[in-house]
Amino acid sequence: MATPNIPLWEVFIRSRNGLAHKHVGSLHATDATLALQAARDIYTRRGEGLSIWVVPSNAITASDPSEKGMMFEPAESKIYRHPTFYDVPDEVGHM
Amino acid sequence: MYTQALNTSDGDERHIEDAERATQFQARIDADERIEPNDWMPAAYRKTLTRQISQHAHSEIVGMLPEGNWITRAPSLRRKAALLAKVQDECGHGLYLYAAAETLGSSREELVDAMLGGKAKYSSIFNYPTLTWADIGTIGWLVDGAAIMNQIPLCRCSYGPYARAMIRVCKEESFHQRQGFEIMLTLCRGTAEQKAMAQDALNRWWWPVLMMFGPPDQVSQHSDTSTKWKIKRFSNDELRQKFVDATVPQAQFLGLTFPDPGMKQNEAGNWEYSAIDWEEFKQVLAGNGPCNRDRMAARRKAHDDGAWVREAAMAYAEKRKQRAALQAAE
């Protein structure tokens, strides 16, 4: 007998060094409470984090990989958005 | 992102084979780019990886059984706590890997059912029994040692979710090997009987451990395409040799001898071992190893015994959802 499909959740963990929550993986759980507990057991057995977010996978909207060009190309050509684009004489020192 | 939901909602277009896309795909692999779940990939790449990753996951889960056998009989609280943590890790590894396999489009339930139905394989090594406490030391030292040899190159595998899962696994695996070696060292420094127990365990596990690397290169059926797709970066025989060379000095330190009188170091410094009995390997894979039936029976029992928990959790979640909908309507 096939087992019923248990919903999929994405797990995000904030480590102790104060960085943002980061995606670490996914798991199956029937509800949010169980998802949090399972995330604790699966992804933080060695003190990997101080805060966990679980999000139902189907609540995530992702960009389409086939539209990678259209989405991200515009940023590539705008080198003037980077500090190294601008000339500052050495005499001025660190800026 | 590990979302099977996204995979299945994409329509059929991604699964169509076409020469131009196949060429682009191979070019990406050759450029050492990572392939991600929603990228186009040849059906055979998807199939190979689903098979490999799910079998890897099954191995982690079945691998909990031989060691779980000794948790209640560990010789001290320290050993018991370590073994419990190790077995828990194996479960975690299985779960990371199932999640990675699911990104290729199969559901967890399908994957698990394929294993319980005997259609999917798991590592042959877990079909051997753990007769004494020294077997727990040997498993950590050699079985996990061999697994690390196999898994480190997989951290650079072309499929992103698999590579990421392997990075986590490898980080955790090192403790497994060290705790195993420590058990062996303690036994080898103990009484003559304890040392004999360690030697007996090595005698029984050595050949099955060498078989873990898979058939010799000239007969390995999955190697060529897996190498082309950068799923596999070293051949079975290369990894086996690396493992033997790393293990010999460790055994010498323990004062143990290998059950292979023909073993000798060649001029290049590599340790040459005698012929492996591939008939035994074939038999174990075919289901005729010492513990195959036991392992499958234990997995099926655990799955069946847990059915009511899964059903209750689903029913509870459904009830809460309905109650929330009613409250919202009021």
Side-chain angles (χ1 to χ4, degrees), chain B residues 69-85:
Chain B
N69 183 33
W70 279 89
I71 291 174
T72 55
R73 287 171 283 159
S76 68
L77 187 57
R78 181 179 188 271
R79 295 288 187 222
K80 186 173 182 165
L83 184 57
L84 197 58

Side-chain angles (χ1 to χ4, degrees), chain A residues 4-5 10 26 28 45-46, chain B residues 2 89 102 109 172 175:
Chain A
N5 281 285
E10 300 303 321
S26 51
H28 290 271
R45 287 193 303 283
R46 288 176 175 76
Chain B
Y2 288 1
D89 273 355
E102 284 170 73
E109 288 78 4
E172 298 178 350
F175 130 63

Side-chain angles (χ1 to χ4, degrees), chain B residues 105-116:
Chain B
S106 305
S107 72
R108 174 79 56 101
E109 288 78 4
E110 284 174 278
L111 298 173
V112 170
D113 288 347
M115 195 255 286
L116 297 177

Side-chain angles (χ1 to χ4, degrees), chain B residues 1-234:
Chain B
M1 196 171 47
Y2 288 1
T3 41
Q4 101 213 87
L6 289 169
N7 261 343
T8 48
S9 64
D10 268 326
D12 294 321
E13 184 215 353
R14 274 164 217 280
H15 306 293
I16 296 169
E17 291 302 312
D18 102 32
E20 194 190 327
R21 279 176 149 176
T23 312
Q24 279 171 4
F25 174 84
Q26 190 58 46
R28 289 188 61 196
I29 301 253
D30 294 341
D32 269 328
E33 276 184 43
R34 287 285 157 85
I35 307 302
E36 294 297 336
N38 296 323
D39 295 346
W40 185 89
M41 61 186 86
Y45 179 83
R46 188 183 298 276
K47 198 173 150 206
T48 299
L49 274 170
T50 304
R51 179 185 54 78
Q52 181 172 338
I53 304 173
S54 65
Q55 290 186 6
H56 197 160
H58 303 328
S59 303
E60 301 283 355
I61 300 297
V62 177
M64 295 161 76
L65 297 170
E67 291 184 289
N69 183 33
W70 279 89
I71 291 174
T72 55
R73 287 171 283 159
S76 68
L77 187 57
R78 181 179 188 271
R79 295 288 187 222
K80 186 173 182 165
L83 184 57
L84 197 58
K86 178 181 190 294
V87 173
Q88 225 179 0
D89 273 355
E90 305 301 359
C91 177
H93 298 175
L95 297 179
Y96 309 152
L97 286 161
Y98 278 129
E102 284 170 73
T103 63
L104 292 159
S106 305
S107 72
R108 174 79 56 101
E109 288 78 4
E110 284 174 278
L111 298 173
V112 170
D113 288 347
M115 195 255 286
L116 297 177
K119 274 176 278 173
K121 290 190 165 50
Y122 55 86
S123 176
S124 59
I125 195 75
F126 301 117
N127 290 313
Y128 290 86
T130 41
L131 303 178
T132 71
W133 174 250
D135 290 32
I136 298 306
T138 310
I139 289 183
W141 171 38
L142 297 182
V143 175
D144 288 271
I148 292 171
M149 281 291 171
N150 259 324
Q151 288 171 169
I152 285 182
L154 286 173
C155 295
R156 293 187 295 130
C157 156
S158 62
Y159 189 57
Y162 193 24
R164 291 191 285 271
M166 290 324 299
I167 290 171
R168 277 190 80 88
V169 169
C170 285
K171 265 188 205 161
E172 298 178 350
E173 204 81 64
S174 150
F175 130 63
H176 299 176
Q177 193 185 14
R178 290 173 63 115
Q179 68 91 36
F181 189 79
E182 196 195 81
I183 291 173
M184 294 306 272
L185 193 57
T186 309
L187 289 172
C188 289
R189 286 174 174 171
T191 64
E193 278 161 301
Q194 285 172 320
K195 184 154 186 193
M197 195 163 91
Q199 181 63 57
D200 168 63
L202 175 60
N203 293 348
R204 282 181 290 109
W205 287 92
W206 178 245
W207 293 107
V209 164
L210 291 189
M211 294 173 199
M212 281 177 70
F213 293 93
D217 293 350
Q218 63 269 31
V219 298
S220 176
Q221 52 172 329
H222 301 299
S223 280
D224 288 352
T225 40
S226 290
T227 306
K228 187 182 87 182
W229 285 331
K230 294 194 182 167
I231 295 170
K232 206 182 173 92
R233 298 206 176 233
F234 297 97

Side-chain angles (χ1 to χ4, degrees), chain A residues 24-82:
Chain A
V24 293
S26 51
L27 55 83
H28 290 271
T30 50
D31 62 32
T33 313
L34 287 179
L36 264 183
Q37 282 176 9
R40 195 271 315 263
D41 291 344
I42 300 172
Y43 293 105
T44 65
R45 287 193 303 283
R46 288 176 175 76
E48 287 90 340
L50 295 175
S51 166
I52 303 175
W53 288 347
V54 288
V55 180
S57 297
N58 57 16
I60 292 178
T61 307
S63 61
D64 183 345
S66 66
E67 289 175 3
K68 225 183 283 176
M70 199 177 76
M71 286 285 275
F72 304 111
E73 194 89 283
E76 305 235 319
S77 55
K78 296 178 179 54
I79 50 169
Y80 46 83
R81 283 179 175 168
H82 297 277

